[in-house]
Amino acid sequence: SISCCLKAEANLPFILSSVVNILELGSIALSNSKGNPLSLALCSRIKKNMSKKGSTVTASTDADDDDEFVEAMQNLQAVDDEESDDAGNSWVGHHPDLKKMCVIDCATKRRIIPNGAPVDIDNECFFGQIMLMVRTPDADAKNDSNSLKESAKRISSYMKPKKRRFEFQFQLKLKRIPEGPTFLGCELEHGIKVGGLTKSLVNILLAMVRRINPGFHYSWGPEGAKPDEIEAGNYEKTHLSFPLEASMDRIIVSKPGEEPPKLGYELFESNESVKRRRKTGFGSVQWNLEDTYTMCLWSQYADWIKWKSMNVPGVSPFLMSRVTGQQPIYLCVYEISDCTPEEYKKSRPPHLRKQLMIFNRLEISNKEHTVGGFAGKLEESRSNRVRRGETSSQVSFGDTASVDSDFDTKSRVTVG
């Protein structure tokens, strides 16, 4: 996994899966280490290290229970009550397993139903549409009795010859031109604590990745940060990130008067253009207010329905919650303010929360394997209303409870 990770280009999902693989090493690698004394010894030490002290997740450091959050949440429907999203997509005609995952636009606090029509997005940074395509079980099953509507069948047919487990497509026009370096990141709302040996091994891997991909950045989170630093935003969330220009699998620029590509279908970009973006990173795309940008991110390494890391060479699929705990995962596009791309290349400053301009942030969770986050609070509000017979305006939203990671301890969720 380490060698494949180092050979890979700026592929955020693969790097994430590789890190998860290293963290998971203590509980699964023995079965893949026969005849290798060094691997056996390393796995034994990691397992002992992790068994001495159970891994825990720290309390949230984001203001997810401030007044604005509560006010917005009071206008939401619970996950199970919601019949359609803002684009009119409903669950009717979709594979039933698709409802296990939940994607929420953190800016609007609205759920997005995958494999339907594109959903409009409009904020202070850009306006456009997002299209989420997710591989459902019928794409791999010879006989699937579920009756799907035409759009769901088409997306399954699109996914079937490919290895990718999901593809997220975006089409947008900018309202403001980014002046600082722009990143695509994978974040956790809560930090994770791991044993010293395991953390050292992951740090070695990530340091090597950063030497090959200078724009790559990561942080273990705000562990050790003081309360006043948290309040002032002088901390980093637990995250991995790459320059946006290098991390997207496809970026197509349509000039005024040109017809942009249609979302929900294959997006085409020349190999030369992809290689140039991956090599150059910052500055490889000329951002302006006139062009339309169509981009996508896909991966074969993360299955959101099963909530598993998949297809990592030499490793059997395993639950992501065994490392991240029972918390959601966030995909985030952001700009670092008060810093030009040239200045960033020289100093590589930390990605402090107070300096980030968030363009878009998606919360991804799973009904069977995660708790907390927006989806958790929606479900909590639904349960409260059913139990107490209250309306949504009468429901109060308490803090989201911290949850434990599960390296080699028994999970508190059912393992599918």
Side-chain angles (χ1 to χ4, degrees):
S1 178
I2 293 176
S3 62
C4 291
C5 182
L6 295 178
K7 292 177 183 178
E9 294 176 315
N11 188 313
L12 181 63
F14 183 75
I15 300 298
L16 174 63
S17 295
S18 297
V19 171
V20 171
N21 175 28
I22 298 300
L23 292 173
E24 176 69 358
L25 189 61
S27 59
I28 66 174
L30 286 175
S31 62
N32 297 305
S33 304
K34 294 180 180 180
N36 189 329
L38 178 60
S39 296
L40 289 169
L42 178 60
C43 293
S44 176
R45 290 183 63 188
I46 292 177
K47 290 191 72 175
K48 289 179 180 179
N49 182 276
M50 289 190 293
S51 64
K52 289 180 180 178
K53 183 177 181 180
S55 299
T56 58
V57 178
T58 62
S60 172
T61 56
D62 202 23
D64 59 350
D65 47 14
D66 59 16
D67 293 340
E68 293 183 1
F69 181 90
V70 174
E71 181 180 357
M73 292 298 293
Q74 290 176 341
N75 297 320
L76 290 176
Q77 295 172 296
V79 169
D80 283 350
D81 295 340
E82 191 172 32
E83 296 181 354
S84 64
D85 62 14
D86 290 345
N89 297 316
S90 71
W91 296 111
V92 178
H94 283 296
H95 196 286
D97 283 3
L98 192 63
K99 202 171 183 180
K100 294 179 181 178
M101 68 173 293
C102 179
V103 181
I104 293 180
D105 180 355
C106 295
T108 62
K109 316 299 187 296
R110 294 295 182 183
R111 186 173 186 177
I112 301 174
I113 298 177
N115 298 354
V119 176
D120 292 335
I121 296 183
D122 192 345
N123 56 42
E124 62 180 355
C125 298
F126 69 90
F127 66 93
Q129 293 183 317
I130 179 173
M131 173 78 179
L132 307 182
M133 298 190 291
V134 175
R135 191 185 197 93
T136 48
D138 58 287
D140 302 307
K142 293 183 178 180
N143 298 309
D144 193 299
S145 59
N146 292 286
S147 178
L148 304 181
K149 62 182 180 181
E150 195 60 35
S151 62
K153 288 182 180 179
R154 182 181 59 78
I155 291 175
S156 288
S157 298
Y158 172 79
M159 289 288 190
K160 192 167 187 176
K162 309 177 188 298
K163 293 182 179 180
R164 56 192 78 162
R165 312 305 296 184
F166 71 89
E167 180 174 336
F168 293 172
Q169 297 182 348
F170 308 84
Q171 191 167 86
L172 55 92
K173 292 192 70 172
L174 296 174
K175 294 182 179 181
R176 56 175 297 274
I177 300 174
E179 298 179 357
T182 308
F183 288 84
L184 171 67
C186 183
E187 303 178 339
L188 295 177
E189 195 68 19
H190 308 272
I192 58 174
K193 291 184 178 180
V194 298
L197 180 60
T198 307
K199 189 172 184 179
S200 297
L201 183 60
V202 174
N203 280 334
I204 292 173
L205 168 66
L206 296 180
M208 289 188 290
V209 172
R210 186 159 57 184
R211 290 188 64 181
I212 299 172
N213 299 276
F216 172 66
H217 181 81
Y218 74 96
S219 172
W220 287 95
E223 183 177 0
K226 298 178 181 179
D228 59 333
E229 293 175 326
I230 298 296
E231 184 176 356
N234 288 320
Y235 72 96
E236 295 183 87
K237 285 185 181 292
T238 303
H239 74 279
L240 305 169
S241 62
F242 277 102
L244 177 66
E245 298 94 325
S247 56
M248 285 293 181
D249 289 287
R250 294 289 183 267
I251 298 181
I252 298 95
V253 181
S254 302
K255 298 295 181 181
E258 296 179 349
E259 186 70 23
K262 188 175 182 179
L263 297 185
Y265 295 84
E266 188 82 54
L267 299 180
F268 296 98
E269 181 185 9
S270 67
N271 291 333
E272 292 75 16
S273 177
V274 174
K275 291 179 180 178
R276 178 181 58 82
R277 288 193 296 103
R278 295 275 170 85
K279 181 178 180 180
T280 306
F282 303 127
S284 59
V285 176
Q286 299 302 313
W287 305 112
N288 59 60
L289 305 182
E290 292 76 34
D291 296 340
T292 299
Y293 301 93
T294 306
M295 57 190 79
C296 70
L297 172 73
W298 68 61
S299 177
Q300 62 174 311
Y301 305 110
D303 190 307
W304 304 118
I305 293 178
K306 297 179 180 179
W307 205 249
K308 286 185 176 182
S309 176
M310 310 277 290
N311 301 315
V312 177
V315 180
S316 300
F318 59 90
L319 284 172
M320 292 186 284
S321 57
R322 290 180 65 85
V323 174
T324 61
Q326 294 171 275
Q327 58 180 319
I329 292 175
Y330 297 83
L331 290 180
C332 184
V333 175
Y334 61 90
E335 173 192 1
I336 299 180
S337 60
D338 302 324
C339 177
T340 66
E342 292 72 22
E343 292 171 340
Y344 182 87
K345 290 179 182 179
K346 295 179 181 179
S347 60
R348 294 186 184 180
H351 296 194
L352 301 178
R353 301 308 295 182
K354 68 177 183 179
Q355 296 177 328
L356 304 189
M357 166 67 75
I358 305 297
F359 278 63
N360 186 246
R361 193 169 190 249
L362 298 177
E363 176 188 282
I364 307 176
S365 61
N366 186 284
K367 191 173 183 179
E368 296 181 352
H369 300 295
T370 65
V371 298
F374 290 107
K377 293 205 172 192
L378 290 174
E379 178 63 22
E380 179 184 348
S381 70
R382 185 197 67 83
S383 299
N384 286 340
R385 294 200 304 273
V386 171
R387 184 173 64 253
R388 301 175 185 175
E390 297 173 338
T391 63
S392 59
S393 61
Q394 294 173 306
V395 177
S396 61
F397 297 90
D399 295 345
T400 301
S402 177
V403 294
D404 293 334
S405 298
D406 173 41
F407 291 91
D408 53 353
T409 59
K410 185 176 180 180
S411 177
R412 293 189 294 175
V413 296
T414 302
V415 178

